[in-house]
Amino acid sequence: MDGGPRVPEQRRPSSSAEAALRFSVLGPVRAWREGQPLNTGSPQQRALLAALLLREGRTATAAELIDALWGPEPPSQALAAVRTYASRLRKILDPGVLVSESGGYAVRGLGEGALDLAVVQDLSAEAEKARSGGDLGRARELLGRALSQWDGEALAGVPGPYADAHRVRLDEWRLQLLESRLDMDLEQGCHAEAVSELTALTAAHPLRERLRELLMLALYRSGRQAEALAVYADTRRLLGEELGVDPRPGLRDLQQRILQADPALAEPSSPAADPPATLVRPAQLPATVPDFTGRAGSVTELSEVLASAEGRVMAVSALAGIGGVGKTTLAVHVAHQARSSFPDGQLYVDLQGAGPRAAEPETVLGSFLRALGTPDSAIPDTLDDRAALYRSVLDGRRVLVLLDNAKDAAQVRPLLPGTEGCAALVTSRVRMVDLAGAHLVDLDVMSPDEALQLFTRIVGAERVAAEREAALDVVAACGFLPLAIRIAASRLAARRTWTVSVLAAKLGDERRRLDELQAGDLAVKATFELGYGQLEPAQARAFRLLGLADGPDISLAAAAAVLDLPAEETEDLLEALVDTSLLESAAPGRYRFHDLVRLYARACAERDEQPPREREAAMSRLLDFYLATAAGVYALERPGDRLVDHLATPDHPGLVFADRHRAQDWLYAEAVSLLACVRQSAGSGLLVRAVDVLWAAVDLAESGTNSKEYAGVASTLREAARRAEDPRAEARALITLAYAHSVTGRFDLADEEAGRARELTTASVDPLASCWSSNILGVIAVYQSRHDDGEAHLTRAIEGFRACDDRPGEASALCNLSRIHLATGRTESAVTLARQGTEMYDAMGHALKGANGRYALGLALTKHGALTEASARLQEALEVFRDSRQRMWEGMSLFRLAEVDLAAPRPGQAAANAEAALTVLRGIGGDWRRANVLVVLGHALHGIGQSGRGQVCWREALDLFEALGAPEAGSVRALLQPLTVT
């Protein structure tokens, strides 16, 4: 009998009754009707059903079925048994499904998608067509769906030689599909993620050379050349010992190419025509202005450069000019015209190059990667790693990147796609002669005719035609700058009773009252004065106060706090400012100033917002908004935590969220503006509340995306508190900084900052800060193997938290103390302490910190030998950490699961989990944590026969430990000692 994988015959349309019947052979043989499982009988009866299903509608004779179920030695009553099984199945299944004909049986009339095997055949055929057509993204998605049809071993528990043969064939088919999908993963740049899966697969199928080849390539592209070469050495040794053969030519060729650092290996060999279906097509371009005017030569020039992107490594145009000359408007207009040439998306960012704090490239890359569909857990922390991942994600895609308002070429370089088919448009006030390969375009003010045309399109042809000379005076007074012309024209358009001559006269009067400035600035300031002077009082106040806030933009809710007005009234004011071109709508519900307009708004606030306390009150309300909202997010994540009771009391209410996921979304979306506000408040009377905002937003320290900026702001607050001689504020700033350092593995710095905080809290009567500093000191002592110190700190923390009636804090310190007991051999008490802390968290419904408790409990249970429970607790922690975007703890949970697997022993699963931990911890957690994961990975690799690769991991771990001066270096050195080859 045949019936293995093949392209299925055409199936006839099914009735609704037939469509309701489904079967599975890619796992246990099962049947369902309307989603309800059917009893398919004994193993032999299921074997008969499987044999018929695998025939896909073709008739199997009684003799063929007897041979399928029993082989060459059937029982004497085999024919009767087959008839009995068939009769029973006929009663179970729908009428007409199992039919008798020509002395045999067949399953007929199954609906589309009724048999999982047929579903996989169809999906794999579609995937092959998509791949042949160059659409790797769709092919990859189709194969993923096909592989998801398997539910364990095919034909599981089904007896008989026919099932045995097909079980082997279906398993081989699954592996072939898996290899194809992994090959496409590598083509899509997902090499780091593929290493974990390939490590587990090579452990399960050690003699399968194609998997080894894919693993070598994935490791090499992940920057792990030594490990890739070690895989080859391990494979060669294994094949020689097991089969007496050498690796096949493909594997040998790959080894040589790795040794030679073949540049072609670094990039996918056949880019996809379309991006993977799972990736996002961003559409971030701001709206183009409907009255765009002139610049025909520049539009043509830039459009030609973008059109040349196809077939080139990358097209880059750098557009330079003074502020207000229309660089952004031109770039956005050209980008919209070119959208059809970049079907895979358009990215946009304001780099704030003309402001006091230009955007950090790593922050921008984090935003771009998320916009391209990269999960937060996969975004590394360092600039180089993010830039490399960014280029990999863009490979094979046609994406346009608009980098607006750049400071210099150094800021721009990491943000360039660098891949064929992509293009970048850059605007800046400086001419980027040092941006290699860039097409430079200098933008000057408009010609008189262009300026008049823009003015006319906004004001109206009839009004301008009646007073053409006055209109020319207006655009000349604006210095022919588009920004100035737009503001002046918008003001005239809103004043139907004014003539053009009135506007020209007003501009003349304004100019005479200005300080002596350069011509361009003079024109802009004159226009700003005109626009501002005609605002309604409420609009003018909104303009002045909103300009005070740092940050790239501001949300409607935050703006309402600044103005101390309801959201609806605030929105009306902001939209009126947008209509006059004094404010831009960055996105629905978010607003931003042109940097020149912001400077002017701040000057107006200094001049007109009297007394000065009105300005201070506006910034105080904004800080209170962030404090109240961040504290609410913290409380929602950590019910019962007393921190919120020890923060400054805000006078302005914050936002309230229905669930913690929406709260998290707000915190991460608002992170840049929140941190900018906190930093801005450091040098004012708002310092105490600024520190408390940062403490409430402590989750940002672990995000990876915002960790660096969080630590920088904490450092700024610490210095400001020292200058202000405010020990309470300084202690709290030190706590946030110590926590940020501990997350990144800089334990010496963390210990120093937390120690100073402990000294200050003793004198400043801040009991909760005292508890936190002791708790952090205890955790750091665990990492540094200073067990006596750690126990003393944590005992003090427990006593302090109890005195504060802070049960979550007490639970945290108990779980941390269990780590000390574990390290000093008190395993039973370690389990007791961790279980006690976890139960306290659970009693308060504390999901996130409960995950920390389960993490500590999982560690103690592992050492105690209760591996099944340890694995369960760690898996529970992992799920919560993932859901809460706690990347570092997600990675560490995977690492601890690898330790459990190693002790089980399940070395293949241990290696897969350790690899997954390395991927998640990429760029966060610090070198000490990475080294510990590498040690466990080395043990796991030795367990699956990849000892050469395991040694490479241990050597890297040793280098990291030695650089840190960590005591663990000695134990790793001992592991390598007997393996040293002379």
Side-chain angles (χ1 to χ4, degrees):
M1 292 175 61
D2 57 0
R6 60 178 180 81
V7 177
E9 298 173 357
Q10 183 69 36
R11 288 183 286 277
R12 67 179 179 83
S14 61
S15 69
S16 58
E18 291 167 342
L21 197 62
R22 295 191 300 108
F23 298 91
S24 171
V25 294
L26 300 177
V29 175
R30 291 169 292 185
W32 297 266
R33 181 186 294 109
E34 301 289 352
Q36 297 301 312
L38 302 176
N39 184 356
T40 52
S42 66
Q44 286 80 9
Q45 188 167 304
R46 291 198 303 275
L48 177 68
L49 176 61
L52 294 173
L53 289 171
L54 289 169
R55 298 280 290 180
E56 292 195 70
R58 289 171 288 120
T59 302
T61 66
E64 287 176 321
L65 291 171
I66 290 171
D67 184 64
L69 269 62
W70 292 286
E73 297 181 3
S76 58
Q77 300 299 314
L79 180 58
V82 166
R83 290 172 177 167
T84 299
Y85 299 152
S87 175
R88 290 173 180 171
L89 286 171
R90 189 177 289 113
K91 294 176 182 178
I92 295 169
L93 306 179
D94 292 342
V97 171
L98 198 158
V99 299
S100 303
E101 61 181 25
S102 305
Y105 301 93
V107 170
R108 296 276 173 79
L110 297 185
E112 192 74 25
L115 178 62
D116 57 0
L117 175 62
V119 170
V120 176
Q121 289 170 335
D122 290 345
L123 288 171
S124 60
E126 284 186 61
E128 185 59 36
K129 290 179 183 177
R131 188 171 191 178
S132 299
D135 191 349
L136 288 188
R138 176 158 174 76
R140 183 186 183 206
E141 186 263 338
L142 288 167
L143 283 186
R145 286 167 52 193
L147 288 163
S148 70
Q149 296 291 317
W150 263 269
D151 185 18
E153 182 184 51
L155 305 170
V158 175
Y162 185 72
D164 290 341
H166 279 274
R167 192 176 295 113
V168 172
R169 182 180 297 185
L170 291 171
D171 185 56
E172 171 64 24
W173 188 36
R174 184 185 70 85
L175 284 172
Q176 290 173 359
L177 295 176
L178 196 52
E179 287 170 347
S180 294
R181 198 262 297 156
L182 284 163
D183 186 48
M184 285 184 273
D185 285 350
L186 300 188
E187 292 296 329
Q188 297 288 335
C190 301
H191 11 276
E193 294 79 2
V195 171
S196 174
E197 188 174 2
L198 283 164
T199 297
L201 286 169
T202 53
H205 307 279
L207 298 177
R208 199 171 184 90
E209 292 184 65
R210 178 56 180 157
L211 290 174
R212 300 273 182 148
E213 187 177 337
L214 290 170
L215 176 58
M216 288 175 64
L217 185 58
L219 286 166
Y220 180 74
R221 288 185 178 170
S222 300
R224 299 160 70 177
Q225 178 178 351
E227 281 186 71
L229 293 170
V231 170
Y232 177 81
D234 289 335
T235 305
R236 183 177 182 183
R237 185 189 68 254
L238 179 66
L239 292 174
E241 292 173 353
E242 296 289 329
L243 304 177
V245 299
D246 288 329
R248 62 184 180 83
L251 208 59
R252 294 198 301 270
D253 291 345
L254 180 57
Q255 183 224 19
Q256 290 301 310
R257 294 176 68 191
I258 290 174
L259 285 169
Q260 296 162 6
D262 183 351
L265 285 181
E267 300 293 339
S269 56
S270 54
D274 289 311
T278 54
L279 295 183
V280 179
R281 289 179 172 87
Q284 297 185 337
L285 294 178
T288 186
V289 293
D291 50 19
F292 181 84
T293 303
R295 308 296 196 188
S298 296
V299 169
T300 301
E301 183 178 358
L302 290 168
S303 298
E304 288 175 352
V305 174
L306 294 185
S308 71
E310 188 170 3
R312 291 180 51 183
V313 172
M314 176 180 52
V316 181
S317 281
L319 183 60
I322 63 173
V325 79
K327 301 181 296 295
T328 298
T329 302
L330 173 59
V332 169
H333 178 76
V334 171
H336 273 284
Q337 284 193 333
R339 284 186 64 173
S340 61
S341 299
F342 299 94
D344 300 329
Q346 304 85 40
L347 296 166
Y348 172 84
V349 65
D350 178 359
L351 294 173
Q352 305 168 60
R357 294 189 60 83
E360 294 285 347
E362 52 263 52
T363 302
V364 176
L365 285 170
S367 176
F368 278 179
L369 286 167
R370 282 193 296 274
L372 290 163
T374 307
D376 285 348
S377 61
I379 298 176
D381 192 46
T382 66
L383 173 60
D384 289 344
D385 286 344
R386 287 187 181 187
L389 179 60
Y390 170 64
R391 292 190 295 270
S392 295
V393 170
L394 287 180
D395 188 80
R397 308 178 75 183
R398 292 185 54 74
V399 173
L400 174 61
V401 183
L402 177 47
L403 305 172
D404 193 19
N405 197 13
K407 178 182 179 182
D408 51 32
Q411 185 191 31
V412 165
R413 288 189 192 101
L415 308 178
L416 298 178
T419 54
E420 180 181 330
C422 290
L425 264 177
V426 184
T427 73
S428 177
R429 293 190 184 180
V430 299
R431 199 166 191 266
M432 295 195 176
V433 293
D434 52 344
L435 191 61
H439 178 82
L440 303 181
V441 177
D442 296 318
L443 195 63
D444 202 350
V445 296
M446 284 183 149
S447 68
D449 286 344
E450 287 179 331
L452 184 61
Q453 185 180 2
L454 173 60
F455 183 79
T456 302
R457 294 191 68 170
I458 298 172
V459 173
E462 185 177 346
R463 295 175 77 183
V464 173
E467 298 179 276
R468 179 179 173 82
E469 291 302 319
L472 286 171
D473 289 341
V474 169
V475 296
C478 291
F480 304 110
L481 278 173
L483 176 63
I485 294 168
R486 188 173 295 281
I487 292 173
S490 297
R491 178 52 52 202
L492 180 60
R495 295 288 190 274
R496 302 304 302 176
T497 58
W498 285 10
T499 64
V500 181
S501 298
V502 168
L503 174 61
K506 286 182 175 291
L507 268 178
D509 288 342
E510 295 287 355
R511 294 179 67 196
R512 284 192 292 272
R513 289 190 294 139
L514 295 173
D515 297 330
E516 186 176 349
L517 297 170
Q518 295 179 357
D521 290 335
L522 178 64
V524 173
K525 189 173 181 182
T527 310
F528 291 170
E529 289 280 6
L530 171 71
Y532 172 67
Q534 300 302 319
L535 292 176
E536 299 293 336
Q539 296 170 351
R541 174 178 178 268
F543 176 74
R544 293 192 301 268
L545 295 184
L546 291 178
L548 296 173
D550 283 349
D553 58 10
I554 191 167
S555 68
L556 175 60
V562 171
L563 303 180
D564 197 22
L565 293 172
E568 295 80 3
E569 188 175 344
T570 301
E571 185 174 23
D572 290 342
L573 290 172
L574 268 56
E575 289 298 326
L577 293 175
V578 170
D579 291 341
T580 60
S581 298
L582 289 172
L583 193 66
E584 300 173 9
S585 180
R590 300 199 75 87
Y591 300 85
R592 69 178 173 218
F593 283 99
H594 186 286
D595 53 335
L596 290 177
V597 180
R598 183 196 297 274
L599 291 174
Y600 177 74
R602 288 186 174 181
C604 290
E606 291 285 340
R607 183 188 69 197
D608 300 338
E609 198 64 47
Q610 300 297 335
R613 63 174 177 270
E614 292 299 323
R615 302 194 299 272
E616 297 167 3
M619 292 306 298
S620 178
R621 289 191 296 269
L622 178 61
L623 191 66
D624 276 353
F625 165 77
Y626 283 130
L627 176 57
T629 309
V633 173
Y634 185 97
L636 201 57
E637 284 275 24
R638 302 166 174 84
D641 196 304
R642 292 296 307 281
L643 172 63
V644 293
D645 299 327
H646 290 259
L647 299 175
T649 303
D651 293 328
H652 194 281
L655 299 175
V656 177
F657 301 99
D659 58 70
R660 65 188 189 90
H661 293 101
R662 292 183 182 179
Q664 288 170 356
D665 289 342
W666 176 87
L667 180 63
Y668 290 108
E670 204 70 21
V672 176
S673 296
L674 180 149
L675 292 173
C677 178
V678 170
R679 185 188 291 274
Q680 186 179 9
S681 303
S684 66
L686 308 177
L687 174 62
V688 171
R689 278 177 289 158
V691 171
D692 284 358
V693 173
L694 196 64
W695 199 354
V698 68
D699 284 346
L700 296 179
E702 292 185 358
S703 69
T705 304
N706 308 105
S707 301
K708 181 178 178 181
E709 182 66 13
Y710 183 94
V713 173
S715 180
T716 298
L717 292 178
R718 176 197 60 189
E719 295 306 314
R722 285 179 180 172
R723 290 192 299 271
E725 297 182 349
D726 186 335
R728 182 180 183 275
E730 183 182 351
R732 293 186 168 210
L734 285 164
I735 286 171
T736 62
L737 187 55
Y739 188 76
H741 285 326
S742 70
V743 167
T744 55
R746 291 174 285 187
F747 300 127
D748 288 342
L749 287 174
D751 188 62
E752 180 182 338
E753 307 289 12
R756 174 63 177 155
R758 180 75 184 92
E759 294 172 5
L760 290 170
T761 54
T762 301
S764 66
V765 194
D766 190 352
L768 192 65
S770 176
C771 299
W772 269 66
S773 58
S774 294
N775 200 20
I776 293 173
L777 284 167
V779 172
I780 296 165
V782 171
Y783 293 141
Q784 296 181 326
S785 300
R786 295 184 288 106
H787 303 133
D788 291 343
D789 290 346
E791 188 153 3
H793 288 309
L794 291 169
T795 300
R796 188 183 302 115
I798 291 169
E799 294 170 352
F801 281 126
R802 284 174 178 166
C804 292
D805 192 28
D806 189 332
R807 288 180 61 77
E810 179 186 349
S812 173
L814 286 169
C815 291
N816 292 331
L817 184 59
S818 79
R819 301 278 299 274
I820 296 285
H821 282 229
L822 200 61
T824 52
R826 293 170 283 176
T827 308
E828 289 191 10
S829 60
V831 172
T832 300
L833 287 167
R835 203 181 295 280
Q836 183 182 351
T838 303
E839 289 171 355
M840 291 173 68
Y841 283 135
D842 289 348
M844 292 177 283
H846 212 314
L848 178 57
K849 296 301 290 183
N852 286 113
R854 282 165 172 75
Y855 176 87
L857 181 56
L859 264 63
L861 290 167
T862 302
K863 279 285 185 70
H864 197 53
L867 300 182
T868 301
E869 187 183 357
S871 182
R873 299 293 83 77
L874 288 168
Q875 191 65 46
E876 290 167 357
L878 174 63
E879 291 170 4
V880 174
F881 289 139
R882 277 180 177 158
D883 187 54
S884 301
R885 309 182 196 182
Q886 297 283 310
R887 283 182 56 201
M888 190 193 76
W889 289 112
E890 177 189 347
M892 292 304 292
S893 297
L894 288 164
F895 162 55
R896 299 304 184 181
L897 282 167
E899 289 186 319
V900 175
D901 293 327
L902 202 57
R906 296 184 293 269
Q909 186 59 43
N913 276 328
E915 278 292 351
L918 288 177
T919 299
V920 175
L921 291 172
R922 188 174 52 199
I924 60 172
D927 289 343
W928 183 82
R929 292 185 176 93
R930 177 177 175 82
N932 277 287
V933 178
L934 286 167
V935 171
V936 168
L937 177 57
H939 282 297
L941 292 171
H942 275 79
I944 61 175
Q946 298 183 25
S947 56
R949 186 179 160 206
Q951 290 179 50
V952 172
C953 291
W954 284 346
R955 290 192 189 101
E956 183 182 348
L958 178 60
D959 290 343
L960 292 172
F961 282 138
E962 286 181 338
L964 294 169
E968 292 88 349
S971 60
V972 180
R973 202 176 292 112
L975 289 172
L976 287 166
Q977 193 65 39
L979 301 172
T980 303
V981 179
T982 59

